Amino acid sequence: MIRAYKFLMRPTVRQEQALGEMLRDHCSLYNGALQERRDAWRHVSQTTVRYGMQSTQLKEIRAFDPERQGRWSFSSQQATLRRLDKAFAAFFRRVTSGETPGYPRFRSVSWFDTVDFPKDGDGCRWNSTPHDPVTRVRLQGVGHVRVNQHRPVAGHIKTVSVKREGRKWFVVLTAEQDQPEPLPATSSVVGIDLGIANFLADSNGDFVPSPRHGRRAAEKLEAAQQARSRFPRRRAKDRTANHQRAVEKVAQLHGKVRRQRLDHAHKTALGLVRAHDVIAHEDLKIRNMSRAPAPKPDPDQAGLFLPNGAAAKAGLNRSINDAGWGVFLTILYAKAESAGREVIAVDPRNTSRTCPECGHTAKENRPAQEKFHCVSCGHTAHADTVGAINVLRAGLVRRDANPA
Ligand SMILES: [Zn+2]
């Protein structure tokens, strides 16, 4: 089992400068490799440049530019080229399947925030000063950087990544761990209904509210975005100090919202996995719900697009993304797997309009967002609780049909 750890780094002023240069140079390598692929595609009759060719050129690139490219880890540069290769693979996959994806884009330094080291010990070393009470990570071209290691790392370190979020620097580790002992059986089963007003309602009538602090942070984020939008768009190097501060504020708040959402998801998932052997949830097809409508090309003007309702849909998308269901379910599945629990996705149709008492299904059973009132037998309950009970029943039916 692979586990990820993320720790704040505390670089010195000098190291911080070197980290910035490391991102900048990896970014320019990425853009250079992208340029090469674009040129080949456009001018050499749709020839495809592949990762293998670009990777073998790395040696020459490093020798040609020892100050900038020769300074960094060969393996991290390969990882950057591989990332571009993945972007292209996704692009071609979508072209083949008849979609019209955007061509992979150049990244500005402010959008290029991660450098990966595919193997601990190759261009990087976790816990490089084991006798020192302070944990450090050694990064080629940067030095031994202090790490705020707030929890122990278990298992064998596989990969190390450096990530910039706003003004902060993080080190992200993945570690291979032995399968932990499954949790003892509780013989409890539960259904959950994911929503917006409540993050989660369960079939026992309990609720997990949406992370309020996340919403407060979202309001602050909106204000910060407005403040930023008062400045004309400029490259990082041309921004005024006030503009730069506004940009950093937005990045900092984004990071905060993301961390809070993750924390909430981890706690909620852990609570469920500890208490129940089987957890059934709606198969939300979040991806489909939140996917932006396809752009409509304007037939009269090449290169321009007609309105497609994307703005109207953005509000709904935001609350879906805000609730972070996708993130939550991913975490729930991971925790359930390591605890030996079962998670079942069920078809969500009719789960909110079927009466759990008499089985009568009608949309009139749900007169309001939160209210369930059966028009046949008169049963009343919170609509989300009813949804969760129906999800549990459907999950158990599915489980009996295909026993694990
Ligand atoms: Zn009923």
Side-chain angles (χ1 to χ4, degrees):
M1 186 185 66
I2 304 279
R3 264 194 84 168
Y5 297 88
K6 184 175 173 187
F7 300 119
L8 182 68
M9 295 202 289
R10 299 225 176 264
T12 63
V13 173
R14 230 180 155 150
Q15 288 170 340
E16 192 164 15
Q17 192 191 341
L19 285 168
E21 289 165 0
M22 181 170 81
L23 276 189
R24 176 199 68 194
D25 295 345
H26 279 75
C27 178
S28 85
L29 178 68
Y30 183 95
N31 286 335
L34 172 55
Q35 181 72 55
E36 186 186 36
R37 290 193 185 219
R38 282 187 165 220
D39 290 348
W41 182 255
R42 285 202 184 137
H43 306 307
V44 196
S45 63
Q46 307 217 325
T47 308
T48 310
V49 175
R50 297 195 184 282
Y51 166 74
M53 305 180 213
Q54 295 197 313
S55 177
T56 49
Q57 289 169 1
L58 247 186
K59 229 174 169 173
E60 291 154 39
I61 294 170
R62 290 167 61 91
F64 178 73
D65 190 359
E67 298 268 294
R68 290 186 55 167
Q69 297 300 343
R71 205 175 142 192
W72 312 112
S73 151
F74 194 86
S75 301
S76 69
Q77 292 174 320
Q78 281 183 316
T80 294
L81 291 179
R82 223 172 279 126
R83 206 187 306 165
L84 176 68
D85 197 54
K86 267 194 199 153
F88 270 91
F91 169 72
F92 286 123
R93 199 164 46 239
R94 295 185 61 190
V95 169
T96 314
S97 69
E99 293 175 65
T100 46
Y103 200 81
R105 290 188 194 195
F106 291 104
R107 305 277 192 90
S108 73
V109 183
S110 51
W111 277 102
F112 193 93
D113 54 16
T114 307
V115 170
D116 297 316
F117 298 84
K119 191 165 163 250
D120 185 29
D122 182 357
C124 68
R125 170 68 71 191
W126 171 247
N127 199 11
S128 56
T129 53
H131 302 296
D132 196 329
V134 179
T135 309
R136 292 172 203 272
V137 60
R138 191 188 73 79
L139 301 166
Q140 182 176 331
V142 180
H144 298 267
V145 185
R146 283 178 75 136
V147 176
N148 212 355
Q149 190 188 343
H150 61 271
R151 61 180 176 132
V153 174
H156 175 67
I157 308 289
K158 306 286 278 185
T159 68
V160 176
S161 299
V162 169
K163 191 160 193 290
R164 182 184 59 196
E165 283 181 23
R167 281 188 175 181
K168 294 198 173 95
W169 292 90
F170 293 90
V171 58
V172 180
L173 310 172
T174 58
E176 173 93 64
Q177 292 173 353
D178 296 333
Q179 199 67 31
E181 288 290 304
L183 289 174
T186 62
S187 64
S188 167
V189 295
V190 76
I192 57 173
D193 180 276
L194 298 173
I196 289 175
N198 279 305
F199 180 78
L200 179 157
D202 73 19
S203 50
N204 301 322
D206 291 327
F207 298 92
V208 175
S210 291
R212 304 291 300 182
H213 49 290
R215 197 170 302 163
R216 266 204 299 279
E219 278 163 19
K220 276 194 198 164
L221 177 60
E222 201 166 322
Q225 277 168 334
Q226 270 169 15
R228 183 189 59 181
S229 68
R230 284 196 278 273
F231 295 94
R233 292 176 72 94
R234 282 207 182 106
R235 286 162 181 272
K237 65 179 172 56
D238 301 327
R239 286 176 195 144
T240 62
N242 280 335
H243 184 186
Q244 187 59 25
R245 254 197 299 282
V247 170
E248 279 164 7
K249 185 80 191 162
V250 171
Q252 181 218 328
L253 289 169
H254 261 302
K256 189 168 181 186
V257 169
R258 202 162 40 229
R259 283 191 295 277
Q260 286 176 339
R261 187 183 301 164
L262 266 180
D263 190 50
H264 182 262
H266 272 285
K267 284 185 181 138
T268 308
L270 188 62
L272 286 170
V273 162
R274 282 204 176 129
H276 308 287
D277 291 349
V278 177
I279 302 154
H281 70 90
E282 288 174 284
D283 193 344
L284 286 165
K285 311 254 188 327
I286 294 171
R287 228 181 96 79
N288 293 341
M289 280 172 74
S290 62
R291 185 180 292 162
K296 284 188 207 153
D298 187 335
D300 299 327
Q301 284 167 286
L304 291 183
F305 293 88
L306 296 170
N308 61 0
K313 231 185 148 182
L316 175 66
N317 288 346
R318 199 164 55 196
S319 37
I320 290 170
N321 293 331
D322 222 4
W325 297 330
V327 170
F328 167 73
L329 288 176
T330 307
I331 291 170
L332 178 66
Y333 272 85
K335 286 197 194 301
E337 193 193 343
S338 58
R341 304 304 206 207
E342 201 177 340
V343 182
I344 304 172
V346 303
D347 187 337
R349 264 172 298 180
N350 292 332
T351 50
S352 62
R353 35 169 95 163
T354 301
C355 175
E357 291 293 318
C358 73
H360 180 68
T361 301
K363 75 168 189 285
E364 292 75 23
N365 282 351
R366 192 169 181 177
Q369 182 62 32
E370 297 200 341
K371 208 172 152 196
F372 186 92
H373 186 122
C374 178
V375 291
S376 173
C377 76
H379 175 67
T380 55
H382 193 293
D384 295 343
T385 305
V386 168
I389 291 170
N390 286 323
V391 164
L392 173 60
R393 288 188 182 166
L396 294 178
V397 167
R398 261 201 65 178
R399 186 165 175 257
D400 291 340
N402 333 280

